[in-house]
Amino acid sequence: MISSGGTMEITKIFAYFVIALFFLFASTQYLVTSLNVSTLCIKEERVALLKIKKDLKDPSNCLSSWVGEDCCNWKGIECDNQTGHVQKFELRRYLICTKTINILSSPSFGGKINPSLADLKHLSHLDLSYSDFEGAPIPEFIGYLNMLNYLDLSNANFTGMVPTNLGNLSNLHYLDISSPYSSLWARDLSWLSALSSLRYLDMNFVNITNSPHELFQVVNKMSYLLELHLASCNLGALPPSSPFLNSTSLSVLDLSGNHFNSSIPSWMFNMSTLTDLSLSSTSLTRRMPSMLGRWKLCKLQFLYLSYNSLIADMTEMIEAMSCSNQSLKSLDLSQNQLFGNLPNSLGQFKNLFSLDLSKNSWNTHSGVSGPIPASIGNLSNLNSLSLEGNMLNGTIPESIGQLTDLFSLNLLDNYWEGIMTNIHFHNLSNLRSLSVSSKKNTLALKVTNDWVPAFKNLSYVEIRDCKVGPTFPNWLTNQVQLNDIILENAGISGEIPHWLYNISSRIGILDLSRNKISDYLPKEMNFTSSNYPRVDFSHNQLKGSIQIWSDLSALYLRNNSLSGTFPTNIGKEMSYLRYLDLSHNYLKGSIPLSLNKIQNLSYLDLSSNYFTGEIPKFLMGMHSLNIIDLSNNWLVGGIPTSICSIPLLFILELSNNNLSADLSSAFHNCISLETLSLRNNKFHGSIPNEIRKNVPSLSELLLRSNTLTGSIPEELCHLPSLSVLDLAENDLSGSIPSCLGDINGFKVPQTPFVYPVYSDLTQGYVPYTRHTELVIGGKVIEYTKEMPVHSIIDFSKNYLSGEIPENITQLIHLGALNLSWNQLTGNIPSKIGSLTDLEYLDLSHNNLSGPIPPNMASMTFLSRLNLSYNNLSGRIPLANQFGTFDASIYIGNPELCGDHLQKNCSSLLPGNGEQEIKHQDSEDGDDDKAERFGLYASIAVGYITGFWIVCGSLMLKRSWRHAYFNFVYDTRDKLLVLMAINLPRLKRKFGLESN
């Protein structure tokens, strides 16, 4: 018999045994789990992954780890630790490719997606972004992966319609189908309402064909949405009331790149949960409403409103944003129409790291104005400050030197005054980019010669239209990473410093233009930067010969004193050139044929030199050439027929040479040519009859001072863009084509010379100095790219006959018309007064007859007129500017009369002239009668209206009548009292009172 104590002992031992057995079992399970964690890959899913791999293009062999039985250890794959099912599939290069492969240069994954992807039924995370599926549609079987909560198909080159069965993925928290480089579109977005758990939605660049109202109705049902990205989705309007009533947690809203063409709706200022709002490039217009104290965006960190046409006062705007002065980190209001001063309260935004107010006077005469407030120094976290292109003035505050974190400072194109010294840069130890210029050239940068700036790693410096010289800034020698140097119009003289030679191998941009540098063009420079450097030494006093600097993309040596010949090996040694300007120098010799080896050359300007010989044959290989300017040289021979083989040539300037050829058969298939200038040469033959077919884009045709014969072809009338037509000083005959009035180019307003040859290399427009010389009023006027160009027709000094076509008066924006020194007959067109933009008219030295049309007095822009040496008759108009013209413009017309000629029209003998005078007198009399009738009628109407307004109201309104007569009687009584009091005083004063 076991005692109770023994029983208890046995129970205790049994309990220990059970506990030990439990721990043994648990540890065994843990051990089994641990041992099998690498062998839990489901066979069917491994097979599915291998099928996917087979259909993918993997040029860098990044999926080399996808071998063996254990798919859970493959790169880009993650499995559930308990079940072994594949949960995560990421196909991003930077996650999968090994470190030995250059991620940036290696090709993307591509090919197609195998339908076996649908066999991964437990997949919760799928990322196929940044691949290249070659324009295939988004596979519909992705909509069957019901367990997905993360789906990223962005930048994967999918096209076509977004499948609506993505609405089956009701567990999605994250969806990104943005696609900037392909053409995805969505017709029906109702499926989005099924994704009620969505936190993040990015559909940037998807062309949404739904109306904005339908889209935002769907979005409003996503109550958990935190981020919404709908940039460049072709949305056409913003809803007038908030579409986010149920989305109470929305923190990021990106609607940039759409075209709303409206003002910002007020509900956007009330979204108190927003931290990031982007409305850049959305065609927002109109003046922003008064917003003082109305913004509730107290959590706002990022605000982007750039590239719009918003009109707002900067002071009001900054005050309205005061609620977010502790949270705002980045503010971009560039490229709008903002105005007003920067307030001192700007200094309260102490967490701001980026502020961009640039180019607010880009298209207007106003902009952000006034001085920079001294409180700018309080923005201690500021990393980037851009105030370029405004109306800011005054001195730049020294407090800007307190911005210790400043990385980029851009103060270009304002009206700065005064001096910047060492103190302005005192604590800018992190500065990498410095840009400053003054439009009035009233700013000077004066630092001590031994100044060593706090910053050592400046890589970009641009100082324009400021006084920096006369010596080259020595403080730049301390910058160890200097790549781009722009010191344009900086008052620098003397020689190019030798330390520039030493760093030339890393220079990307070197611009020393518009200074007084008088050195020889240095041989020692070695521009070998991999960024295709650009060098601009134009408008200096450099001497010597052209140097061969290989690897340059652009070389500008315009307006110097360079001499010698053109290097014959330039095509071989400088084959990367895109832009070459050697104009206005003293270069001589022939133009080398090796230029043809520079196949990417975009423009070539060799004008105003002493080049001789023939124009080299431009070969088919020069596919990029847009501009050829060889004017003002001593070139001879003809124009190579291969010149029209250049497909993008749109300016050909060959004026002022000794070229000679028959133009009748020249210029075949020059389909892109817009400007053809052959002035002052020896070309002969006729104007090509098929000019419309061969040069259909022509807008400027200048053939002055050659020996062309034949008639003016009617083909010219069918050039729709033609706006400058100068055929003067030739031997042309026949009549002026009657269809001239049909040319549309003369019916549009005058425009500046703008030739936007855009270049990634030069970061903007090519600095080609577009110019042409037009003879107006006997004076040669050179028009440049900044000047509005007259639309002109000049047929002077030819042998043209017949009448001036009446429909020439339909060219309503014609600026100058010169038909002088011809053999024209008939009358001046009766409707010539319709040419209201005409500034210059010369019809002298012809055989024109009849009167000067009276309606010419309505041509108020007309500043130069010459009608001399014709057979005109009748009275000269007196109105408007006709009263200011000199009598010499009428000389040689004996039948003209008027005050200008001190010749009384009544003294003319009877005849056509007298009849015309009577006709004009009759017209003037009729005009006087009409004016008198109008005057009398207006007086009568005014009298009747005034009488009935006053008297009629008194008759009809009894209270008004009583008040009126009471006022009259009171006034009468007061006047009688005043007279009774003051009359005795006056009598005493003048001694009239009786004794």
Side-chain angles (χ1 to χ4, degrees):
M1 188 174 181
I2 302 173
S3 63
S4 60
T7 304
M8 289 182 64
E9 195 69 28
I10 292 170
T11 305
K12 194 179 293 184
I13 292 170
F14 180 78
Y16 287 145
F17 176 78
V18 171
I19 292 171
L21 192 65
F22 173 79
F23 277 106
L24 179 63
F25 175 80
S27 62
T28 303
Q29 287 295 104
Y30 175 80
L31 183 61
V32 170
T33 303
S34 300
L35 290 173
N36 291 336
V37 72
S38 62
T39 59
L40 287 176
C41 176
I42 307 300
K43 179 181 178 181
E44 291 79 5
E45 295 183 352
R46 181 175 67 250
V47 172
L49 287 171
L50 290 173
K51 290 181 180 179
I52 293 170
K53 176 186 176 182
K54 182 180 179 181
D55 283 352
L56 286 175
K57 290 181 180 179
D58 180 17
S60 301
N61 199 26
C62 295
L63 299 179
S64 57
S65 68
W66 284 28
V67 292
E69 299 292 321
D70 188 5
C71 65
C72 295
N73 279 334
W74 295 354
K75 287 187 177 180
I77 304 298
E78 289 186 20
C79 299
D80 185 279
N81 287 337
Q82 299 295 324
T83 64
H85 286 295
V86 175
Q87 287 187 319
K88 195 172 191 178
F89 180 12
E90 292 187 303
L91 201 62
R92 288 201 179 189
R93 278 183 299 166
Y94 74 89
L95 292 172
I96 296 177
C97 296
T98 61
K99 294 181 180 178
T100 59
I101 296 175
N102 189 335
I103 303 299
L104 297 176
S105 61
S106 63
S108 305
F109 292 107
K112 63 180 182 179
I113 304 173
N114 192 286
S116 298
L117 180 67
D119 294 337
L120 306 179
K121 300 185 182 300
H122 296 269
L123 201 63
S124 61
H125 184 114
L126 178 59
D127 187 346
L128 302 178
S129 61
Y130 293 93
S131 296
D132 182 6
F133 294 113
E134 302 171 357
I138 296 175
E140 292 204 7
F141 51 76
I142 291 178
Y144 302 137
L145 300 171
N146 297 326
M147 301 294 289
L148 279 181
N149 57 48
Y150 183 103
L151 178 60
D152 190 346
L153 304 178
S154 62
N155 298 281
N157 197 13
F158 287 117
T159 60
M161 190 179 78
V162 178
T164 57
N165 68 345
L166 292 182
N168 297 333
L169 309 178
S170 57
N171 293 311
L172 272 185
H173 291 170
Y174 183 105
L175 175 60
D176 188 348
I177 56 174
S178 58
S179 184
Y181 303 113
S182 59
S183 52
L184 274 176
W185 56 279
R187 181 171 56 195
D188 179 13
L189 289 177
S190 59
W191 55 271
L192 276 174
S193 59
L195 308 181
S196 56
S197 301
L198 208 60
R199 267 75 167 169
Y200 180 101
L201 175 60
D202 190 339
M203 297 182 67
N204 289 345
F205 303 98
V206 176
N207 185 6
I208 297 175
T209 60
N210 295 64
S211 69
H213 176 71
E214 293 171 334
L215 169 65
F216 287 114
Q217 263 191 334
V218 172
V219 170
N220 192 38
K221 297 179 182 179
M222 302 176 187
S223 55
Y224 297 103
L225 198 63
L226 299 175
E227 294 195 27
L228 177 61
H229 300 266
L230 296 173
S232 301
C233 288
N234 199 32
L235 303 178
L238 284 168
S241 58
S242 176
F244 302 109
L245 298 176
N246 294 326
S247 303
T248 55
S249 302
L250 192 68
S251 61
V252 177
L253 177 60
D254 183 0
L255 300 175
S256 58
N258 291 291
H259 300 284
F260 297 129
N261 292 305
S262 66
S263 57
I264 301 179
S266 58
W267 55 263
M268 279 196 177
F269 303 133
N270 297 322
M271 299 180 68
S272 58
T273 59
L274 278 185
T275 61
D276 189 333
L277 175 60
S278 181
L279 294 170
S280 298
S281 302
T282 49
S283 302
L284 293 172
T285 59
R286 307 174 195 168
R287 188 181 179 99
M288 296 179 70
S290 179
M291 299 171 297
L292 279 172
R294 294 190 181 182
W295 284 25
K296 297 180 180 179
L297 307 177
C298 299
K299 297 180 180 180
L300 198 64
Q301 297 180 21
F302 303 92
L303 178 60
Y304 304 109
L305 298 176
S306 60
Y307 292 91
N308 286 294
S309 300
L310 292 171
I311 303 173
D313 184 280
M314 274 306 306
T315 302
E316 285 188 10
M317 201 162 188
I318 295 298
E319 294 299 328
M321 295 168 60
S322 59
C323 177
S324 57
N325 60 18
Q326 299 303 312
S327 61
L328 196 65
K329 295 180 179 179
S330 182
L331 176 62
D332 188 351
L333 304 176
S334 60
Q335 301 263 16
N336 280 285
Q337 297 178 25
L338 305 182
F339 61 92
N341 295 357
L342 292 174
N344 278 321
S345 56
L346 180 63
Q348 298 175 5
F349 294 79
K350 296 184 178 180
N351 289 312
L352 204 62
F353 69 75
S354 178
L355 176 61
D356 191 347
L357 305 178
S358 62
K359 299 180 180 178
N360 273 288
S361 62
W362 191 255
N363 291 318
T364 61
H365 296 294
S366 62
V368 182
S369 57
I372 300 176
S375 62
I376 196 84
N378 297 333
L379 306 180
S380 56
N381 291 308
L382 201 62
N383 184 272
S384 175
L385 174 62
S386 181
L387 302 176
E388 176 184 357
N390 281 290
M391 306 289 286
L392 292 163
N393 53 35
T395 58
I396 298 171
E398 293 180 347
S399 59
I400 210 164
Q402 301 170 17
L403 305 176
T404 54
D405 288 342
L406 198 64
F407 182 93
S408 174
L409 176 61
N410 186 349
L411 304 177
L412 291 171
D413 297 328
N414 282 281
Y415 293 90
W416 309 119
E417 301 171 354
I419 299 172
M420 290 186 78
T421 66
N422 312 25
I423 301 174
H424 288 84
F425 307 98
H426 184 62
N427 292 317
L428 305 184
S429 57
N430 292 301
L431 198 64
R432 300 291 187 276
S433 176
L434 171 63
S435 306
V436 60
S437 70
S438 176
K439 292 179 181 178
K440 289 187 174 180
N441 206 356
T442 51
L443 179 68
L445 179 60
K446 291 186 178 180
V447 296
T448 56
N449 291 332
D450 58 349
W451 177 54
V452 178
F455 48 87
K456 305 287 185 185
N457 297 308
L458 196 69
S459 63
Y460 183 94
V461 58
E462 181 175 0
I463 303 176
R464 292 189 283 105
D465 304 317
C466 296
K467 181 70 173 176
V468 176
T471 60
F472 208 90
N474 193 52
W475 53 271
L476 289 176
T477 60
N478 299 302
Q479 306 307 311
V480 296
Q481 296 184 13
L482 198 57
N483 296 322
D484 300 327
I485 304 172
I486 301 173
L487 298 173
E488 180 186 344
N489 193 22
I492 298 172
S493 58
E495 299 180 352
I496 299 173
H498 282 268
W499 64 265
L500 264 180
Y501 302 176
N502 300 329
I503 68 169
S504 60
S505 60
R506 71 167 188 255
I507 282 181
I509 300 175
L510 179 58
D511 184 349
L512 304 179
S513 62
R514 300 182 187 278
N515 286 290
K516 297 179 181 179
I517 300 172
S518 55
D519 199 359
Y520 279 88
L521 201 62
K523 298 178 181 179
E524 296 86 348
M525 287 190 165
N526 182 26
F527 298 101
T528 56
S529 169
S530 59
N531 295 323
Y532 300 104
R534 175 165 64 97
V535 173
D536 190 347
F537 289 159
S538 60
H539 295 275
N540 278 286
Q541 299 166 14
L542 292 169
K543 302 181 287 290
S545 57
I546 305 297
Q547 301 299 320
I548 295 294
W549 293 324
S550 58
D551 296 329
L552 287 187
S553 67
L555 177 60
Y556 309 107
L557 299 175
R558 180 184 183 87
N559 281 89
N560 279 284
S561 300
L562 300 172
S563 57
T565 59
F566 206 129
T568 57
N569 60 341
I570 189 170
K572 179 181 178 181
E573 300 296 333
M574 302 183 71
S575 58
Y576 296 110
L577 273 179
R578 298 280 302 272
Y579 314 107
L580 179 61
D581 188 347
L582 305 178
S583 62
H584 293 269
N585 281 287
Y586 299 95
L587 302 174
K588 60 184 179 180
S590 61
I591 301 172
L593 187 61
S594 67
L595 278 174
N596 291 306
K597 296 180 180 179
I598 309 177
Q599 296 191 1
N600 291 319
L601 197 65
S602 178
Y603 95 77
L604 174 67
D605 190 351
L606 305 179
S607 62
S608 300
N609 279 285
Y610 297 94
F611 288 119
T612 56
E614 297 186 352
I615 300 173
K617 294 181 179 180
F618 292 92
L619 304 180
M620 292 286 289
M622 303 183 75
H623 294 296
S624 301
L625 200 56
N626 301 134
I627 299 168
I628 300 174
D629 191 345
L630 305 179
S631 60
N632 296 292
N633 281 287
W634 292 349
L635 299 173
V636 297
I639 301 172
T641 55
S642 60
I643 210 160
C644 284
S645 301
I646 304 171
L648 300 176
L649 183 67
F650 60 80
I651 295 180
L652 180 59
E653 173 63 80
L654 301 176
S655 59
N656 297 304
N657 280 285
N658 292 314
L659 299 170
S660 60
D662 188 344
L663 288 189
S664 305
S665 56
F667 302 107
H668 284 285
N669 203 30
C670 286
I671 57 174
S672 299
L673 196 62
E674 296 180 15
T675 296
L676 176 60
S677 179
L678 306 178
R679 296 171 296 109
N680 297 310
N681 280 286
K682 298 177 181 178
F683 292 109
H684 56 272
S686 60
I687 300 171
N689 281 322
E690 296 188 346
I691 195 167
R692 176 195 179 189
K693 175 184 176 183
N694 289 315
V695 199
S697 303
L698 201 62
S699 61
E700 297 160 22
L701 179 61
L702 299 107
L703 303 178
R704 169 184 289 268
S705 295
N706 284 282
T707 57
L708 299 176
T709 56
S711 61
I712 300 173
E714 292 193 359
E715 281 278 309
L716 290 175
C717 301
H718 303 296
L719 294 171
S721 301
L722 194 63
S723 59
V724 174
L725 180 57
D726 187 353
L727 307 180
E729 299 180 26
N730 281 283
D731 298 323
L732 299 172
S733 58
S735 61
I736 299 173
S738 59
C739 61
L740 207 62
D742 299 331
I743 303 177
N744 189 61
F746 295 105
K747 300 179 182 180
V748 295
Q750 300 171 10
T751 56
F753 276 131
V754 177
Y755 283 88
V757 185
Y758 190 81
S759 166
D760 295 331
L761 296 175
T762 56
Q763 301 176 348
Y765 294 118
V766 172
Y768 169 65
T769 305
R770 178 69 183 98
H771 62 95
T772 194
E773 293 178 353
L774 303 180
V775 179
I776 297 180
K779 295 181 180 180
V780 178
I781 301 175
E782 183 177 24
Y783 287 85
T784 63
K785 62 182 178 181
E786 301 298 330
M787 300 170 65
V789 183
H790 283 82
S791 296
I792 77 159
I793 294 176
D794 192 342
F795 295 161
S796 61
K797 296 186 179 179
N798 280 285
Y799 299 98
L800 300 175
S801 57
E803 297 187 356
I804 301 173
E806 182 69 33
N807 70 351
I808 203 172
T809 61
Q810 297 175 16
L811 307 179
I812 56 174
H813 287 294
L814 186 65
L817 176 62
N818 189 350
L819 304 178
S820 63
W821 292 94
N822 280 286
Q823 300 169 8
L824 300 174
T825 57
N827 294 347
I828 298 174
S830 60
K831 296 181 180 178
I832 197 168
S834 303
L835 302 179
T836 52
D837 278 4
L838 202 66
E839 297 182 29
Y840 171 74
L841 176 62
D842 190 348
L843 303 178
S844 64
H845 294 274
N846 280 286
N847 296 311
L848 299 174
S849 57
I852 300 174
N855 59 24
M856 286 185 68
S858 64
M859 301 164 66
T860 53
F861 284 153
L862 193 64
S863 58
R864 295 180 184 178
L865 175 66
N866 193 351
L867 302 177
S868 62
Y869 297 101
N870 281 284
N871 296 312
L872 300 174
S873 58
R875 174 176 291 176
I876 299 171
L878 288 174
N880 297 326
Q881 74 278 20
F882 269 84
T884 65
F885 290 143
D886 189 80
S888 61
I889 70 171
Y890 307 112
I891 194 170
N893 292 280
E895 297 299 318
L896 282 177
C897 63
D899 295 343
H900 304 77
L901 305 179
Q902 297 181 348
K903 186 175 184 180
N904 194 331
C905 294
S906 62
S907 65
L908 288 177
L909 294 173
N912 292 335
E914 186 175 338
Q915 291 173 4
E916 180 57 37
I917 293 171
K918 291 179 179 179
H919 174 71
Q920 289 190 17
D921 289 341
S922 175
E923 286 186 350
D924 293 343
D926 291 343
D927 290 343
D928 290 342
K929 289 179 181 178
E931 288 180 4
R932 284 197 297 271
F933 177 77
L935 175 65
Y936 297 153
S938 61
I939 292 173
V941 171
Y943 177 80
I944 295 169
T945 303
F947 176 83
W948 281 110
I949 287 175
V950 176
C951 298
S953 59
L954 294 178
M955 293 174 63
L956 298 174
K957 192 77 173 177
R958 182 179 180 183
S959 59
W960 288 11
R961 185 166 64 252
H962 287 178
Y964 172 75
F965 284 111
N966 286 335
F967 170 75
V968 171
Y969 294 149
D970 289 344
T971 302
R972 182 201 60 184
D973 293 341
K974 289 178 181 178
L975 288 173
L976 290 174
V977 170
L978 286 171
M979 289 173 64
I981 293 173
N982 291 310
L983 188 60
R985 294 178 182 174
L986 291 172
K987 287 181 177 180
R988 285 194 299 271
K989 184 175 181 179
F990 294 102
L992 299 176
E993 190 174 13
S994 58
N995 294 326

